[in-house]
Amino acid sequence: MAKSDVKVKVLGTWSSPFVMRARIALNIKSVNYEFLQERLWEGKSELLLKSNPVHRKVPVLIHGDKSICESLIIVQYINEVWSFAPSILPSDPHERATSRFWAPYLDEKWFPSLRTIGVAQGEDARKAAIAQVEEGLLLLEEAFGKCSKGKPFFGGDQIGYLDIAFGCFLGWLRVTEKMSGMKLLSISKTPSLLKWADRFCSDIAVKDVMPETEKLAEFAKMIMAKMRGAAPPK
Amino acid sequence: MSEEVKVFGTLGSPMSCRVELALKLKGVQYEYIEEDVHKNKSPLLLKYNPVHKKIPVLLHNGKPIAESLVILEYIEETWKGNPILPEDPYEKAMARFWARFLDEKCLPALWNAAWSPENEREKAVEEACDCLKTLESTLKGKRFFGGDTVGLVDIAAIFIGFWLRVLQEATGQELLSAEKFPDLVKWTDEFVSCSVVKESLPPRERLWAFFKARVAGAMDAQTNASK
């Protein structure tokens, strides 16, 4: 059966940066897919529980009868199944390792700190979170210089693995900037990342799946209100 | 072509051991450099892993790679003999999935269950056993997680293969029991009896002594806390 005959579905939510990673990768490869939206606050669907029994999380990529879980594992799977150009990972093993290295840092340290800024209990916790985020951005500014080698993206001429791994968080970064009144990406401290962010968000593989900051900010307020048990704003 | 391969590691670290095992499986010659991570990290380590300042670090022809699972993939892509990942993209994705499961859920749960205070122990043990149960179900009677040969998941699970048994003896708490997890226990025996694995493991007595000292330290702390 030709690859094009096998159905591709992404199980996810419009607001999740992790889900976005899978969709961007499919877009880069021009693969048609069906986007099945989970309404996670109403309870997880049977399909989700069946296709990701271990973690019960989105995204899940359903390719024919196979389910693949974990956003960056999905991205690599997409790159390997639809192995024609453009490649999402660099061809050089050391450059691949560098791209892969940043993923756990982003997922386990940087993004959790970004999320904490909005919900931190107490000024100390908030300041610590901001410091972690800013430190990470400086590290990534430096990494951008090394990885891009003067080209527009971490991946070079085109969006690659690290662009996807990091760029998916830009929506939430902009929401955090808006709600806190802070500038996290700036011309003075992170000039390359500032320009990269605009290029990434307007790229054809990204722009239709990157949520608008306003919509995401409203969504964030709704979640925070729900968490506090208050009635959501209309 | 002569190439320079160095591993910065710590004796007794399962992460460090993963890297050495993968290199040995591929027949790659390397120089091992012991790091004193608790008291005195070398300037080289700080230079090669400035973000996390942790071992293991692989240095290949002057280029550093950090994070053990990232290093394993690098080794796989650089030295093609004795592959540790399957060719099929789906099987490869599953191997990566289980390796991540080990690092994100399973190993932290096991560690937590061994060292958690009395009042949290029951819940911690339950979580650890849930993880072991999930792993047991993926083995499905295979000789190794990788099938007939040692693969990425087996290497990633080296803590369970060797460290866990020693830890259980030192703490007197059995998590990996043969009656609850027969396939996993069988796997630990198979895995540890491979000659290349045996060569990569730290001396058992040293590991046991390290854990015993930690148990004593934890008991002292508890005694002092209740005075």
Side-chain angles (χ1 to χ4, degrees):
Chain A
M1 193 188 263
K3 271 177 237 165
S4 52
D5 296 341
V6 180
K7 270 196 162 259
V8 180
K9 299 177 193 181
V10 171
L11 207 52
T13 59
W14 64 269
S15 57
S16 159
F18 304 102
V19 172
M20 206 186 307
R21 288 170 169 173
R23 299 176 76 190
I24 293 172
L26 288 167
N27 287 346
I28 287 174
K29 298 285 188 176
S30 305
V31 174
N32 289 323
Y33 66 94
E34 191 185 346
F35 183 44
L36 299 171
Q37 291 223 54
E38 283 283 315
R39 299 194 194 293
L40 293 174
W41 56 91
E42 285 170 21
K44 296 177 184 187
S45 74
E46 261 197 59
L47 182 59
L48 176 59
L49 298 176
K50 183 178 145 206
S51 56
N52 190 356
V54 176
H55 300 298
R56 302 182 211 129
K57 283 183 178 176
V58 293
V60 180
L61 180 79
I62 299 173
H63 184 207
D65 58 354
K66 301 183 175 121
S67 310
I68 300 98
C69 311
E70 297 284 293
S71 60
L72 292 173
I73 293 177
I74 292 172
V75 169
Q76 290 181 94
Y77 175 83
I78 290 167
N79 194 43
E80 286 155 15
V81 169
W82 292 277
S83 50
F84 44 79
S87 180
I88 293 174
L89 275 160
S91 51
D92 171 69
H94 188 257
E95 287 174 21
R96 285 162 92 99
T98 303
S99 298
R100 285 179 174 137
F101 167 82
W102 285 107
Y105 174 80
L106 284 161
D107 288 1
E108 290 160 29
K109 279 211 165 112
W110 190 83
F111 185 56
S113 296
L114 183 71
R115 278 201 312 233
T116 301
I117 295 176
V119 297
Q121 305 279 10
E123 195 52 34
D124 285 344
R126 193 168 171 269
K127 280 197 178 140
I130 293 171
Q132 173 82 80
V133 168
E134 287 181 331
E135 183 192 312
L137 289 173
L138 290 175
L139 288 170
L140 287 156
E141 172 82 8
E142 199 189 326
F144 183 81
K146 290 187 187 152
C147 296
S148 66
K149 300 189 186 96
K151 293 192 174 168
F153 297 107
F154 284 94
D157 288 313
Q158 290 176 320
I159 284 178
Y161 186 86
L162 185 47
D163 297 279
I164 297 174
F166 179 31
C168 67
F169 296 127
L170 286 170
W172 284 104
L173 183 139
R174 284 170 172 173
V175 166
T176 307
E177 285 182 325
K178 185 183 160 76
M179 289 168 84
S180 65
M182 280 186 315
K183 275 273 160 253
L184 292 166
L185 286 179
S186 67
I187 247 312
S188 53
K189 291 195 183 148
T190 57
S192 305
L193 285 185
L194 191 62
K195 291 186 209 132
W196 163 82
D198 281 336
R199 282 195 295 267
F200 180 82
C201 292
S202 42
D203 188 273
I204 196 165
V206 176
K207 61 187 171 75
D208 292 338
V209 301
M210 176 67 78
E212 288 161 18
T213 310
E214 276 301 327
K215 192 178 173 197
L216 207 54
E218 282 307 308
F219 178 73
K221 285 185 199 143
M222 187 193 78
I223 300 241
M224 278 159 66
K226 270 199 165 113
M227 274 165 55
R228 278 185 233 119
K234 291 204 178 96
Chain B
M1 183 184 82
S2 81
E3 48 186 0
E4 179 204 58
V5 183
K6 294 186 182 178
V7 175
F8 291 79
T10 298
L11 183 69
S13 156
M15 304 308 180
S16 178
C17 189
R18 284 173 172 179
V19 174
E20 290 198 81
L21 175 54
L23 289 170
K24 285 189 159 71
L25 270 167
K26 300 262 187 180
V28 179
Q29 305 284 359
Y30 64 94
E31 184 193 339
Y32 174 80
I33 294 149
E34 174 74 12
E35 281 284 331
D36 179 1
V37 285
H38 299 294
K39 294 184 202 132
N40 194 20
K41 294 179 184 179
S42 76
L44 276 180
L45 178 64
L46 301 177
K47 175 181 158 193
Y48 293 136
N49 190 0
V51 177
H52 300 296
K53 305 177 180 75
K54 283 184 179 176
I55 56 96
V57 172
L58 179 76
L59 193 71
H60 184 209
N61 292 335
K63 292 181 176 164
I65 302 103
E67 291 289 299
S68 63
L69 293 183
V70 175
I71 297 172
L72 292 183
E73 294 241 23
Y74 177 85
I75 290 171
E76 172 73 349
E77 286 164 3
T78 306
W79 293 282
K80 305 285 185 187
N82 290 338
I84 58 174
L85 272 173
E87 288 248 9
D88 173 69
Y90 176 69
E91 299 300 331
K92 208 184 272 198
M94 289 314 294
R96 287 175 174 144
F97 176 86
W98 290 118
R100 293 253 307 173
F101 172 76
L102 279 160
D103 274 7
E104 284 184 5
K105 282 237 154 82
C106 195
L107 300 183
L110 287 167
W111 193 250
N112 205 29
W115 302 112
S116 57
E118 270 310 328
N119 58 334
E120 291 165 25
R121 192 158 302 162
E122 203 183 313
K123 182 161 182 261
V125 168
E126 198 185 313
E127 275 181 34
C129 287
D130 278 344
C131 287
L132 289 175
K133 200 165 136 202
T134 302
L135 272 182
E136 170 91 2
S137 71
T138 69
L139 258 177
K140 295 191 188 97
K142 286 184 293 185
R143 193 175 163 212
F144 299 111
F145 288 100
D148 293 321
T149 53
V150 166
L152 182 85
V153 182
D154 302 276
I155 299 172
I158 201 164
F159 178 88
I160 297 175
F162 181 72
W163 273 255
L164 186 58
R165 286 270 190 82
V166 183
L167 181 58
Q168 288 181 158
E169 276 180 35
T171 58
Q173 186 188 61
E174 192 185 44
L175 291 164
L176 184 68
S177 76
E179 5 156 47
K180 275 197 210 157
F181 311 109
D183 283 350
L184 257 185
V185 169
K186 193 161 156 249
W187 168 81
T188 63
D189 290 334
E190 277 269 19
F191 187 57
V192 167
S193 66
C194 296
S195 56
V196 69
V197 176
K198 262 194 273 195
E199 277 171 39
S200 314
L201 294 172
R204 201 178 203 282
E205 319 75 52
R206 275 190 69 167
L207 197 58
W208 189 87
F210 171 78
F211 284 142
K212 263 308 207 195
R214 210 186 140 124
V215 169
M219 281 175 68
D220 283 347
Q222 264 203 323
T223 315
N224 289 335
S226 55
K227 274 189 190 146

